[in-house]
Amino acid sequence: NGLIANLEALHFLKNGDLSTAGVLIHEAWHNVSNVSIDRLDIEESIVGRYSMQIIENLALYYGLTKDWSQSVDIFQKAVELSKQIHRGSLAEALSKYGYVLLQTGKSEDAIQVLLEAERINENSTSIDKLREVRKMLAVAYYKRGQYEKSAYWV
C-alpha cells in the first residue's frame, strides 16, 4: 500500500495537485514507517531504498508547499534512515538536508551537514552532485559573512 500510494503521489505532484499528493504521500509514509522490516519478505536493502524514496518525496512535497520547517524534520529523518539502512543514499540525503537548512536560515548547521556530504561525494564519480554541494557550501559561508571560505567553494 505504501509503495502504490507513493507512486500515485508522484503522479499528482507532477500534475500540480499538491492537495491529493499530500494525502497520498502521508499515507505512504505512515504505511511504510509502521511496518517492521522483519515482517516483510523483501531484502532489507530494497525496503530501505523504497523507504528513502518515500521520505524524499514527502520532503519534496513540503518543499513544494514551502513548508520548510516540516521539510527540515523529514530530511533529518531521511539522513538517520540512510545511516541505518541505506548508506548508498546518505550523500544525497545530506545534501538535500543541507539545502533545506539553508532555506530556513540555519547556515551554520547547513555547513556541517554539507561538509559531510562533500566528504562522501569527494571520491564519487558523480561530479554534478559534488559541484552542487560545493555551491551550497559557498552560499552557506557567504550568508555567514565568511567570504574567503565562500570563495574557496565556488
Side-chain angles (χ1 to χ4, degrees), residues 35-74:
V35 174
S36 176
I37 291 175
D38 59 334
R39 288 185 41 212
L40 300 173
D41 192 24
I42 303 173
E43 263 186 62
E44 190 173 335
S45 64
I46 295 171
V47 173
R49 186 63 204 144
Y50 280 129
S51 298
M52 286 302 300
Q53 287 175 348
I54 292 170
I55 202 167
E56 287 171 359
N57 291 338
L58 181 57
L60 171 65
Y61 164 76
Y62 286 131
L64 290 172
T65 59
K66 304 290 188 222
D67 191 345
W68 297 113
S69 62
Q70 287 281 2
S71 194
V72 166
D73 294 339
I74 293 299

Side-chain angles (χ1 to χ4, degrees), residues 2-151:
L3 302 178
I4 300 300
N6 183 49
L7 292 172
E8 288 177 326
L10 280 176
H11 166 76
F12 287 106
L13 281 173
K14 288 180 181 178
N15 290 317
D17 186 348
L18 296 180
S19 178
T20 304
V23 170
L24 289 167
I25 200 67
H26 281 93
E27 177 186 326
W29 178 242
H30 175 76
N31 289 341
V32 169
S33 63
N34 288 325
V35 174
S36 176
I37 291 175
D38 59 334
R39 288 185 41 212
L40 300 173
D41 192 24
I42 303 173
E43 263 186 62
E44 190 173 335
S45 64
I46 295 171
V47 173
R49 186 63 204 144
Y50 280 129
S51 298
M52 286 302 300
Q53 287 175 348
I54 292 170
I55 202 167
E56 287 171 359
N57 291 338
L58 181 57
L60 171 65
Y61 164 76
Y62 286 131
L64 290 172
T65 59
K66 304 290 188 222
D67 191 345
W68 297 113
S69 62
Q70 287 281 2
S71 194
V72 166
D73 294 339
I74 293 299
F75 273 120
Q76 187 175 19
K77 286 180 187 173
V79 167
E80 292 166 10
L81 187 63
S82 236
K83 287 179 179 179
Q84 292 172 9
I85 61 175
H86 199 271
R87 293 199 65 82
S89 53
L90 181 57
E92 184 178 352
L94 285 165
S95 65
K96 289 178 180 178
Y97 182 40
Y99 174 77
V100 170
L101 288 168
L102 278 174
Q103 291 294 328
T104 56
K106 299 175 182 173
S107 56
E108 185 62 36
D109 293 337
I111 288 168
Q112 299 311 309
V113 169
L114 292 168
L115 284 172
E116 187 177 351
E118 198 273 340
R119 280 190 294 275
I120 294 169
N121 279 318
E122 191 173 39
N123 298 318
S124 171
T125 56
S126 180
I127 304 298
D128 290 339
K129 289 187 182 203
L130 182 59
R131 215 177 279 138
E132 180 181 295
V133 169
R134 288 178 174 170
K135 286 179 185 177
M136 286 189 284
L137 277 164
V139 169
Y141 279 115
Y142 188 86
K143 286 184 174 190
R144 305 258 330 137
Q146 296 173 313
Y147 305 116
E148 286 182 29
K149 286 185 177 182
S150 177

